[in-house]
Amino acid sequence: MAKVKAIQLNNFRNFQNLELNLNEKTNILFGDNGTGKTNILESISLLSKGRGIRNTQISNLIYKNEKNFLIKSILDINRLDYELEVSTNYQDEKYKKKIKINNEDSNETLNFLNSKLSFLIFLPEMERIFQSSPASRRNFIDRLIFSYNKEYNTLINKYKKNILERSKILQNNIIDTNWITIVENEISKLGLKIYELRNTQLTILNKQIKSLNKLNNYKFEINLKINDNFFSPSLNLENYVSSLFNLRDLDKKMGGIKVGPHKSDITAQINNNFDATQLSTGQQKTIVLIIILAQCSYLVKEKKISPIILLDEICSHLDSYNRKILLDMINSFDIQFFLTGTEKSLFSFMSTNVHFCNITNL
């Protein structure tokens, strides 16, 4: 179980210096737009492996005219306190994120942190997730996989790197057939693994959502699936490699690769009747909150992981039904929550053990 007890920001985003002591249960950050509420959530998300909730270049996180940022935090992991530092390291003409725990940065120490620290995230753009691009839905599911599989981003990055390598080979006047065969074989292996992990993730969510509906009688039954003409349970390495070989001429003309998990979409069938694209913004938010609740249940009950929940600008379209789902999540699990909004009054429905912080006055 991991919880953030305190955080200190130096030259991070719009904060030159900021110190916050935090509640182990629910923390509400409120204030005017542009005061840095989301920046604080981002700093918390950077305590773990990855580039945080915005997936931003490290150089863009540094306060104007400064050279580095520093995030210090006290983490409570299984009732023991750890001092955590996240800073910038300029190397090979680019910035990299550096993490230390109790002033140590060994692989063993970082692996320990990654095994204990996990995040589930809601961002405002998720309110229209089923009417936005397929990439946004893929990214949403990929974040859920990453919440318990810290090597997943490495897998995605390797896949993208090999796609770019294949495109470069195809643009040459004389194609190195041996090299492109090796690259296509690697793309196929990685692509199959991504398909497998995403399909497993959707199966997990569908199962958890059904269990939640039995307990809470939510008005939406949700069935998530991969929408991809290339993908099927019978897809194997030989078929994948053969498809890439046959697409070489087309891909050379058009660029990229026309098949693979980077072309997939994620669909949601509602009440076995209609697609989630037909839902209102508030109803789409309901679906996303139920999915996050389902993932939280899976992490806590089956993976024995206690995620930290980051909910940015959560109060828009938060009708009584969505408030119920949010409260179900908060009341069901002994985990830490961070919520942001423009006004304290928006959170009047919250119960006890809530810490309010007015970011405007900092």
Side-chain angles (χ1 to χ4, degrees), residues 6 79 81 100 104 109 153 155 158 175 207 245 286 359:
R79 298 304 176 186
D81 285 354
K100 289 185 178 182
E104 294 185 15
T109 301
N153 280 5
L155 174 66
K158 285 183 178 179
I175 294 177
K207 178 182 177 181
F245 176 84
T286 300
I359 305 302

Side-chain angles (χ1 to χ4, degrees), residues 13 56-64 66-67 69 88 90 94-96:
R13 288 287 194 183
T56 302
Q57 295 288 339
I58 298 299
S59 59
N60 295 332
L61 303 174
I62 303 171
Y63 187 84
K64 58 183 179 181
E66 297 293 339
K67 295 182 179 180
F69 73 74
T88 49
Y90 191 72
K94 64 180 181 180
Y95 284 98
K96 294 183 179 180

